[in-house]
């Protein structure tokens, strides 16, 4: 039985409305379209990938896809990048690595953080690539690799300022001597991480120099197949020096962590919702919890079907955040609630129930929302909840 779609209804939404597993439908009732969804433009992501490649002077790339590809859908993003000549997918944990393999993608996996002891046998068995922070974990990997009669490729992580993982730089030369004795490990790469590439150029440049001198102390760049230091900001804003691999995340998703590069990138995720109701409130009427906003004149208010339960940050309340509707901006009134927010559409008589609303995307950049919420874009992306249907556009 064909579903009856409410109008106006865009083709993207219509396409997933045909797939009953995405939304609750049955034979007796019409489709129930989601109130908030994210359109994810895979073609735009590939263009951003090309920008990353060019900025890195043709060096190799690890695509960072941790946290569900920054909320963009891990399996879909991994499949979409599977034939794009990516050397590694960078993930946070074994669970994410499994999901990539279960999606049928064979690209090498790099585990960006420390692993649990119990996970290491699977890592060895499946040839995933851990980064090593201690001699003890290296020894365990070595024993497991011997049992599997293989040489496991590993990367040395070195802490040049992040303070989160890796060998503390001062102790590395001595540790390397011990790692070299582990015959079932192949030390394929060395990496470090930049804590403030988007905030402190001077410190970051000193980190590049420090990383370079550590590599020289260990025998020079020819000792390692892969040398990597940069995240997105490092890739865009600094010379790559000895590095031949970069680990961009955010920039693939169309956001530059450094000013001046945003024009080169294309929005990948557009978060959308719909007007569910339009009413005119009289003067002196409160809007939303806490009545932080009270009308001073008759006010036409559109209620929109998205809230902090979808991951839209409640912290933008009262900060002048806007949405995009019928080709223009409209301000949010009062506090964002769990499932709904209210917008001032006074004077915009064309706004009607069912209208599509851009919450962020090409017209309202996600940076703007992050700034008004007092946070960073990475957090906005990864806080979008499972209730928001992700629609991938090939
Ligand atoms: C998350 C992460 C990245 C990617 O950072 P972006 O700023 O999103 O490009 C790179 N390297 C490591 C170790 C990370 O944890």
């Amino acid at each position: 039985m064909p579903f009856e779609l409410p109008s106006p209804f865009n083709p993207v939404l219509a396409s997933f409305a045909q797939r009953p597993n995405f939304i609750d439908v049955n034979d007796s009732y019409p489709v129930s379209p989601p109130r908030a969804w994210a359109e994810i433009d895979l073609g735009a992501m590939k263009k951003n990938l090309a920008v990353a490649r060019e900025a890195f002077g043709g060096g190799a790339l690890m695509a960072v896809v941790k946290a569900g590809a920054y909320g963009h859908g891990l399996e879909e993003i991994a499949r979409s990048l599977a034939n794009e000549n990516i050397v590694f997918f960078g993930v946070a944990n074994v669970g994410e690595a499994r999901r990539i393999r279960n999606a049928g993608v064979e690209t090498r996996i790099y585990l960006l953080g420390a692993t649990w002891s119990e996970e290491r046998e699977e890592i060895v068995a499946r040839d995933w690539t851990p980064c090593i922070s201690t001699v003890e974990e290296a020894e365990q990997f070595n024993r497991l690799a011997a049992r599997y009669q293989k040489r496991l490729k590993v990367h040395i992580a070195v802490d040049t300022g992040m303070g989160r993982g890796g060998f503390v730089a001062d102790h590395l030369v001595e540790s390397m001597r011990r790692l070299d004795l582990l015959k079932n490990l192949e030390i394929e790469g060395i990496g470090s991480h930049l804590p403030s590439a988007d905030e402190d150029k001077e410190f970051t440049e000193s980190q590049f120099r420090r990383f370079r001198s550590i590599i020289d102390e260990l025998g020079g760049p020819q000792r390692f197949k892969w040398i990597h230091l940069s995240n997105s900001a490092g890739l865009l804003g600094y010379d790559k020096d000895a590095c031949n691999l970069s680990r961009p995340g955010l920039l693939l998703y169309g956001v530059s962590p450094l000013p001046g590069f945003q024009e080169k990138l294309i929005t990948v995720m557009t978060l959308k919702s719909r007007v569910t109701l339009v009413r005119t409130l009289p003067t002196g009427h409160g809007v939303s919890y806490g009545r932080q906003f009270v009308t001073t004149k008759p006010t036409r208010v559109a209620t929109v079907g998205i809230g902090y339960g979808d991951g839209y940050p409640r912290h933008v309340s009262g900060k002048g955040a806007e949405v995009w509707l019928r080709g223009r901006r409209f301000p949010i009134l009062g506090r964002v609630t769990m499932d709904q927010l209210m917008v001032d559409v006074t004077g915009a008589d064309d706004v009607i129930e069912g209208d599509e609303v851009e919450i962020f995307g090409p017209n309202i950049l996600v940076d703007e929302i992050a700034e008004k919420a007092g946070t960073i874009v990475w957090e906005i992306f990864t806080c979008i909840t499972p209730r928001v249907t992700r629609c991938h556009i090939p």
Side-chain angles (χ1 to χ4, degrees), residues 64 66 70 112 164 193 230-233 247-251 378:
V64 177
K66 62 194 182 193
Y70 293 37
L112 292 157
R164 186 173 71 175
H193 194 36
S230 331
N231 50 10
S232 297
R247 307 183 308 260
L250 193 69
L251 94 82
W378 293 262

Side-chain angles (χ1 to χ4, degrees), residues 61 74 81 108 158 161 170 183 220 224-225 300 343 378:
L61 297 180
L74 179 57
L81 292 177
R108 287 184 65 187
V158 45
D170 297 345
K183 294 299 169 219
F224 303 98
K225 178 169 183 202
R300 194 160 184 261
V343 172
W378 293 262

Side-chain angles (χ1 to χ4, degrees), residues 101-367:
R101 286 294 179 265
N102 289 340
V105 174
E106 293 303 323
T107 306
R108 287 184 65 187
I109 302 278
Y110 184 87
L111 293 147
L112 292 157
T115 55
W116 302 123
S117 173
E118 295 82 352
E119 296 171 329
R120 292 180 187 151
E121 180 166 355
E122 179 177 3
I123 293 167
V124 171
R126 300 194 196 275
D127 288 314
W128 295 336
T129 306
C131 65
I132 302 289
S133 290
T134 65
V135 172
E136 293 68 30
E137 64 177 312
E139 286 169 346
Q140 189 190 0
F141 275 120
N142 185 61
R143 283 194 299 276
L144 288 162
R147 206 194 300 154
Y148 279 77
Q149 299 183 324
K150 56 169 75 165
R151 260 187 110 206
L152 181 72
K153 294 185 165 86
V154 301
H155 290 212
I156 301 301
V158 45
D159 193 340
T160 56
M162 179 68 185
R164 186 173 71 175
F167 287 90
V168 177
D170 297 345
H171 313 147
L172 187 57
V173 174
E174 165 59 16
S175 304
M176 236 355 222
R177 229 180 24 78
R178 293 172 61 192
L179 298 182
D180 279 336
L181 303 173
L182 304 173
K183 294 299 169 219
N184 291 82
L185 297 188
E186 175 187 337
I187 297 173
E188 185 200 32
I190 185 164
S192 189
H193 194 36
L194 304 171
S196 44
D198 53 349
E199 292 172 32
D200 187 342
K201 193 160 175 90
E202 204 180 310
F203 176 76
T204 304
E205 280 169 348
S206 77
Q207 242 192 315
F208 269 90
R209 288 194 295 276
R210 178 106 195 270
F211 188 51
R212 177 61 201 245
S213 73
I214 288 165
I215 289 166
D216 289 338
E217 275 175 57
L218 296 177
Q222 67 284 354
R223 228 198 119 165
F224 303 98
K225 178 169 183 202
W226 298 118
I227 300 175
H228 46 104
L229 178 56
S230 331
N231 50 10
S232 297
L235 186 163
L236 291 169
Y238 300 82
D239 291 334
K240 67 183 159 113
D241 191 51
C243 301
N244 60 2
L245 177 69
S246 176
R247 307 183 308 260
L250 193 69
L251 94 82
L252 302 179
Y253 309 106
V255 180
S256 170
L258 293 177
F261 294 93
Q262 191 56 48
E263 321 53 271
K264 296 184 185 227
L265 303 176
I266 312 178
T267 297
V268 175
M269 182 192 289
T270 304
L271 182 62
K272 290 186 172 176
S273 183
R274 239 168 236 291
V275 173
T276 56
L277 200 60
V278 186
R279 296 167 316 136
T280 299
L281 300 179
T283 305
H285 202 295
V287 178
S288 197
Y289 293 117
R291 302 179 69 254
Q292 298 284 301
F293 179 85
V294 178
T295 58
T296 54
K297 56 179 178 2
T299 304
R300 194 160 184 261
V301 176
T303 303
V304 179
I306 190 167
Y308 63 80
D310 301 288
Y312 186 73
R314 184 177 170 278
H315 279 94
V316 304
S317 306
K319 298 282 161 51
E322 295 172 319
V323 302
W324 184 262
L325 169 54
R326 295 248 167 204
R328 20 202 226 282
R329 288 170 169 263
F330 292 95
I332 294 174
L333 295 176
R335 290 184 188 158
V336 173
T337 76
M338 191 184 287
D339 314 311
Q340 307 175 70
L341 54 82
M342 278 68 82
V343 172
D344 185 351
V345 295
T346 306
D349 295 336
D350 53 340
V351 172
I352 54 167
E353 190 182 304
D355 274 358
E356 192 175 291
V357 181
E358 176 185 314
I359 303 299
F360 63 71
N363 300 296
I364 308 261
L365 292 186
V366 62
D367 300 71

